[in-house]
Amino acid sequence: MGGPLLSRRDFLALGSAAALLPGVAFAAAPTGTKLHGLSAFGDLKYPADFKQFDYVNADAPKGGTFIFSPPNWVFNQSPLTFNTLNTFVAKGDAPPRMEMCFDTLMASALDEPDALYGLVAEGVTISDDRNTFEFSLRSEARFHDGTPLTAEDVAHSFQLYKQDGHPDLLLPLSQMIEAVAVDAHTFRLSFSGKQSPRTILNVAGFPIASKAYFEANPFTSVGMKAPLGSGPYRVGRIVAGQTIEYDRVEDYWARDLPVNRGLYNFDRIRIEFYRDRQAGFEAFKKGNVLFRQEFTARVWVTGYDFPALKEGKVVKREFPAERRPSMQATAINQRRERFRDPRVRRAMALCFDFEWTKRNIFYNSYERSQSCFERSDYRAEGKPSPEELALLEPLRGKIPDEAFGEAIIQPVSDGSGRDRKLLGAAAKLLAEAGWKRNGQFVQNAKGEPLTVELLVDDDDWIRIHSPWTENMKAIGIDASIRVVDSAQYTARQVDFDFDLISMALSFTATPSRDDIENLFHSRAATLPGSRNFPGTADPAIDALVEAAGKAQSRQELTIALRALDRVLRARLDWIPNWYLPNHRAAFWDMFGYKEPKPDFGFPVEAMWWFDKDKATAIGKA
């Protein structure tokens, strides 16, 4: 259920934790020499004179229209509606893929876990202290109005983001001390020395905005005027809240660069917004939407029997998921005092019967998530290693004792939907935490009932969460589900105005401190629009986040994230939900694509192309 929010590199950077790889740390990258690419660990796959990425079809034809409802999004974007075209700030709901309208200093390779290659920047030079990065910009870079994209635009963008940007942009720049244009084609970015060694891999993928545009228009304003862009697409036709079209820029200045060759093939990308999942599915069945990733197990199993599929006009298949850590969980908002006792959080978690849900609602298609870094080597297993203990022992007494034992696993129910043993244990935990029965519900010493409201923005969540709330009621919790529209959901999420809220998120392949800080660090707990939904503000967690950020090798990073995972699972700020090992996709058979898909990304709208012969064969030319 639900599409994942992307972590910050860019939407192309859909990758995951690979197994431990040999190679040198980022700190060993040469200094004082212009580099054509950057990576966190190990050597770059592609040499300076590479022509294209291996996973693209450089001869892919241009043309056609790709119509879909995005399965993932970044920043302040929403898949349900939109009321602004400013995607750089926390306020408002922007449409997904606005980032395709903006170029970046460097672009990700989807067949490497963390590599970046030059886009606007033809190269980057690292200072001897590794705190300053000087980017040499291409003189041919242009905005869509034909004006040059210069170092002034880059510097101004970074300055705006650090001051007023969306938390995904703001937090990674917290240690930025200088963003300056040395000259028209040289941009210098300097950090304090307290940043993660891998921060540069995040910020080099930030969108570049026009200085002239935002000097004439307030950066923090939200409206339906599209900021001036420079990327492969520009905003075309829009119907506010319903439809947006991105038109391919015919004279896009960077279309022949190696990082772009074979990409961005559709003349038009149209996003249709449906607040109701079933309405979106019906539009797909009619051919009004051409590509769909299915997040409802019931529909995947029982709904794909319509005429177009039976006639072979629609393809239904699964693609391998990215090799990247993912997290799908329900946050318990500890800004509210009644949720601060871990016994209360554990009692609530015991009421969720995943085994019953998997069989009766998910058609056995999902697996139970246990970790904040699921499907990766960063997931803690068994007892802590000596290397993990070296990080955990200084925190003893400040973190749950359970973090020093076997990694916490959510208990397996009997699958009945009302496991008496688990519900009994949950009721006991509430009593130990001072919540006593008084009639139907429990109360604290002040006579206040224990109320819990799950905030959702889709009716399908009612079907999934109703058994959970009924179990909570059975042990005396006054639990309910509140369905709100997308705009209200976003506003309440930004302001942390909820009891429980669920989130699906994918990390970058090599998470930096910036990636995890937004979710777990105390710095994000009070920052509106951050992903720290539980309000986690714990110096011990901060210390582990910092340790991960300072890792100089993939092995060090893995150790630090496993230690962090142990503590997060013991705290239970997030109740783990479930995960799917593959992409469930269906599409009208009118597209070309290269197989196998790259290990670290699945941006169909960027990689696929319109196949006129296939379209003609199914009557969609």
Side-chain angles (χ1 to χ4, degrees):
M1 292 295 304
L5 291 164
L6 295 187
S7 54
R8 186 42 251 160
R9 198 108 62 191
D10 50 63
F11 87 102
L12 286 179
L14 298 172
S16 116
L20 295 182
L21 300 176
V24 297
F26 178 75
T31 61
T33 301
K34 186 186 294 187
L35 305 174
H36 74 287
L38 297 172
S39 67
F41 309 112
D43 297 326
L44 295 168
K45 174 181 177 180
Y46 295 97
D49 61 350
F50 81 102
K51 304 301 181 185
Q52 65 185 70
F53 292 132
D54 290 344
Y55 51 84
V56 304
N57 175 9
D59 299 319
K62 306 295 185 184
T65 298
F66 187 79
I67 310 172
F68 77 133
S69 296
N72 41 48
W73 49 95
V74 296
F75 306 145
N76 65 345
Q77 298 170 5
S78 169
L80 300 179
T81 188
F82 65 99
N83 49 39
T84 180
L85 297 181
N86 184 353
T87 193
F88 304 129
V89 295
K91 188 177 180 181
D93 295 305
R97 304 305 179 261
M98 277 299 297
E99 66 276 13
M100 296 181 76
C101 299
F102 301 91
D103 281 319
T104 57
L105 288 168
M106 307 185 83
S108 300
L110 303 187
D111 52 355
E112 298 178 82
D114 48 43
L116 296 177
Y117 295 89
L119 202 171
V120 170
E122 62 179 356
V124 56
T125 302
I126 306 173
S127 66
D128 289 340
D129 64 4
R130 303 186 184 280
N131 293 327
T132 297
F133 301 83
E134 193 162 278
F135 293 88
S136 302
L137 309 189
R138 302 181 194 272
S139 59
E140 63 268 32
R142 291 288 186 275
F143 286 103
H144 293 153
D145 64 355
T147 58
L149 188 163
T150 72
E152 288 284 352
D153 298 294
V154 185
H156 192 249
S157 298
F158 278 66
Q159 292 160 6
L160 288 174
Y161 298 155
K162 180 173 180 177
Q163 180 175 340
D164 293 312
H166 186 278
D168 289 351
L169 297 165
L170 184 154
L171 285 172
L173 297 175
S174 61
Q175 296 301 323
M176 183 186 87
I177 60 174
E178 187 178 54
V180 297
V182 178
D183 56 43
H185 304 302
T186 307
F187 167 64
R188 186 171 63 232
L189 183 64
S190 298
F191 294 92
S192 66
K194 297 179 181 179
Q195 77 284 357
S196 165
R198 297 180 301 283
T199 290
I200 190 61
L201 298 178
N202 264 350
V203 303
F206 281 4
I208 300 170
S210 163
K211 178 180 180 180
Y213 178 86
F214 279 118
E215 284 183 335
N217 299 272
F219 177 69
T220 56
S221 66
V222 289
M224 298 305 291
K225 182 179 180 181
L228 178 62
S230 59
Y233 288 89
R234 58 161 58 96
V235 173
R237 184 178 70 92
I238 62 172
V239 179
Q242 300 179 30
T243 303
I244 185 168
E245 291 183 350
Y246 298 104
D247 297 333
R248 185 169 62 84
V249 179
E250 288 279 354
D251 59 349
Y252 174 41
W253 73 271
R255 64 183 179 275
D256 294 324
L257 291 181
V259 294
N260 286 334
R261 191 169 290 125
L263 295 171
Y264 312 119
N265 302 309
F266 295 108
D267 280 347
R268 183 170 294 107
I269 294 173
R270 181 187 308 157
I271 297 176
E272 298 288 0
F273 294 79
Y274 297 96
R275 297 179 186 236
D276 179 78
R277 290 175 189 257
Q278 189 59 36
F281 183 50
E282 293 300 322
F284 173 74
K285 288 160 62 174
K286 295 175 183 177
N288 295 332
V289 170
L290 302 176
F291 177 91
R292 174 182 176 87
Q293 284 200 55
E294 185 57 68
F295 295 103
T296 304
R298 170 182 54 82
V299 174
W300 185 250
V301 174
T302 66
Y304 284 79
D305 59 353
F306 49 93
L309 190 139
K310 293 178 179 178
E311 295 166 5
K313 296 180 178 181
V314 169
V315 177
K316 176 192 177 191
R317 61 166 291 185
E318 295 185 359
F319 292 88
E322 286 64 65
R323 296 170 54 205
R324 66 179 297 161
S326 65
M327 172 181 169
Q328 181 156 330
T330 299
I332 307 173
N333 190 355
Q334 293 165 56
R335 298 172 185 85
R336 301 189 171 170
E337 184 177 356
R338 61 188 182 276
F339 301 131
R340 292 175 189 166
D341 192 315
R343 293 170 294 188
V344 172
R345 302 197 295 273
R346 193 156 300 281
M348 293 160 57
L350 288 172
C351 293
F352 177 60
D353 191 330
F354 173 76
E355 284 64 40
W356 183 92
T357 303
K358 178 179 178 179
R359 185 179 69 252
N360 291 279
I361 295 180
F362 291 160
Y363 292 81
N364 292 313
S365 60
Y366 289 92
E367 300 299 328
R368 181 69 191 263
S369 178
Q370 300 289 352
S371 168
C372 294
F373 307 105
E374 196 61 64
R375 299 186 309 173
S376 78
D377 287 335
Y378 307 141
R379 169 178 160 153
E381 300 281 358
K383 293 183 177 180
S385 67
E387 294 81 6
E388 291 172 64
L389 285 174
L391 294 175
L392 295 173
E393 282 294 350
L395 303 175
R396 191 179 285 276
K398 302 175 183 178
I399 59 177
D401 290 341
E402 293 86 348
F404 293 92
E406 296 280 340
I408 297 295
I409 298 293
Q410 297 303 306
V412 178
S413 76
D414 61 11
S416 66
R418 278 290 176 96
D419 188 315
R420 292 186 177 183
K421 181 179 179 180
L422 295 184
L423 293 182
K428 183 179 179 181
L429 285 169
L430 288 184
E432 291 174 356
W435 296 90
K436 308 298 183 183
R437 277 275 190 176
N438 186 1
Q440 182 179 359
F441 299 117
V442 296
Q443 293 181 345
N444 61 15
K446 299 177 182 178
E448 300 167 332
L450 178 53
T451 59
V452 172
E453 180 184 88
L454 286 88
L455 186 68
V456 302
D457 61 352
D458 190 304
D459 287 340
D460 263 11
W461 288 105
I462 297 177
R463 183 171 57 92
I464 294 172
H465 285 329
S466 288
W468 187 13
T469 57
E470 290 303 312
N471 277 345
M472 284 195 274
K473 289 178 181 178
I475 65 168
I477 299 175
D478 186 4
S480 61
I481 303 171
R482 172 69 63 88
V483 184
V484 297
D485 62 37
S486 178
Q488 186 178 355
Y489 184 84
T490 298
R492 291 184 62 174
Q493 178 179 279
V494 167
D495 293 335
F496 308 121
D497 182 17
F498 52 80
D499 291 346
L500 272 67
I501 194 169
S502 294
M503 180 184 70
L505 178 141
S506 295
F507 291 92
T508 53
T510 309
S512 70
R513 186 184 68 194
D514 311 310
D515 297 322
I516 55 180
E517 180 180 74
N518 199 2
L519 281 92
F520 309 126
H521 199 285
S522 58
R523 192 177 295 119
T526 57
L527 183 61
S530 84
R531 314 291 186 202
N532 189 343
F533 295 155
T536 305
D538 186 329
I541 294 291
D542 294 350
L544 292 171
V545 169
E546 297 292 337
K550 294 176 181 177
Q552 294 294 308
S553 69
R554 192 174 297 277
Q555 185 172 9
E556 287 184 12
L557 176 64
T558 301
I559 291 166
L561 289 180
R562 285 176 181 172
L564 175 62
D565 188 39
R566 290 181 185 281
V567 179
L568 291 170
R569 288 157 69 174
R571 285 177 55 93
L572 205 66
D573 296 345
W574 299 83
I575 299 175
N577 293 161
W578 49 84
Y579 69 92
L580 190 67
N582 295 302
H583 293 286
R584 294 184 301 217
F587 50 93
W588 286 76
D589 193 12
M590 52 190 293
F591 305 115
Y593 50 93
K594 189 172 181 178
E595 294 199 84
K597 66 175 281 294
D599 286 339
F600 301 104
F602 194 49
V604 171
E605 63 274 32
M607 295 192 304
W608 288 17
W609 62 90
F610 176 72
D611 188 316
K612 188 174 182 180
D613 291 339
K614 285 185 176 181
T616 299
I618 64 171
K620 297 286 284 187

